[in-house]
Amino acid sequence: MLERKQMAKYQRFGALGSLGVAVGIMLFWLVLFGWFLPQQVSTGGLDDVHAWMTRLTTFFPALLIALAHLTFARQLRTAAVRNSQ
């Protein structure tokens, strides 16, 4: 069985990992949907309206995933502080 101090270390690592996932999902969205995907090219592609619809409809699920991971990070960090005392 892990002691409280050892558990606090793993909880801190878990919180850091959750923060990494939150930042990573937003960077992934920014690169893929904010920049590459909805560009108009000479042979067709998306017009301005469809490009903005694509950006908005993919942004909100990415935002919800990031917010969920920020919540996990906050919970783990709070538990780590309690267990380290």
Side-chain angles (χ1 to χ4, degrees), residues 47-63:
D47 62 351
D48 289 336
V49 173
H50 287 108
W52 279 107
M53 286 174 52
T54 302
R55 286 183 184 114
L56 287 176
T57 57
T58 56
F59 175 73
F60 289 113
L63 179 66

Side-chain angles (χ1 to χ4, degrees), residues 7-77:
M7 185 61 77
K9 181 175 81 169
Y10 293 118
Q11 287 169 334
R12 282 191 200 101
F13 284 139
L16 184 62
S18 292
L19 287 175
V21 170
V23 170
I25 194 76
M26 294 313 292
L27 287 176
F28 176 74
W29 178 86
L30 183 66
V31 169
L32 186 62
F33 293 107
W35 188 32
F36 282 127
L37 193 63
Q39 288 183 348
Q40 193 167 6
V41 293
S42 62
T43 59
L46 296 175
D47 62 351
D48 289 336
V49 173
H50 287 108
W52 279 107
M53 286 174 52
T54 302
R55 286 183 184 114
L56 287 176
T57 57
T58 56
F59 175 73
F60 289 113
L63 179 66
L64 290 176
I65 292 169
L67 289 175
H69 280 84
L70 288 175
T71 303
F72 296 153
R74 188 179 68 186
Q75 289 174 348
L76 286 168
R77 182 69 180 147

